[in-house]
Amino acid sequence: MSDRQYDPQSHDAVLSRILANQENMAETLRVNGENLEIQIREHRAETSHGFATINERVGVLERFRANLRGKVAVVSGGIGLATTGLFEWAKNHFTSGNGSGH
């Protein structure tokens, strides 16, 4: 073989293929990294949207709970006043007619 003929088993040829494979792998990793970055951004956007939806729903439930607590407090107060009034009326009605002089 002459010095100018291509020898696929030569050190230069083997090293050239190794370098080409490394460059190809580096490009593949760069593209995969970019795709992964895009996917991460998409997932973050979906997650942010999901949290916003959950926060909105939780806010509605918290307002409902506060409203319900207020209504229960008003009804409980009304029942308490009515019971106290009824008790006082019954006490005055039944104790004033028993002849004890009050």
Side-chain angles (χ1 to χ4, degrees), residues 48-100:
S48 295
H49 177 69
F51 279 128
T53 302
I54 288 172
N55 287 340
E56 182 180 317
R57 294 170 111 188
V58 168
V60 168
L61 289 173
E62 287 175 342
R63 285 189 297 276
F64 173 75
R65 182 180 67 183
N67 189 3
L68 188 60
R69 280 185 175 175
K71 288 178 181 178
V72 167
V74 168
V75 169
S76 297
I79 291 173
L81 285 174
T83 303
T84 303
L86 183 62
F87 179 74
E88 288 295 321
W89 174 82
K91 185 172 85 172
N92 290 335
H93 182 70
F94 292 115
T95 57
S96 64
N98 66 2
S100 63

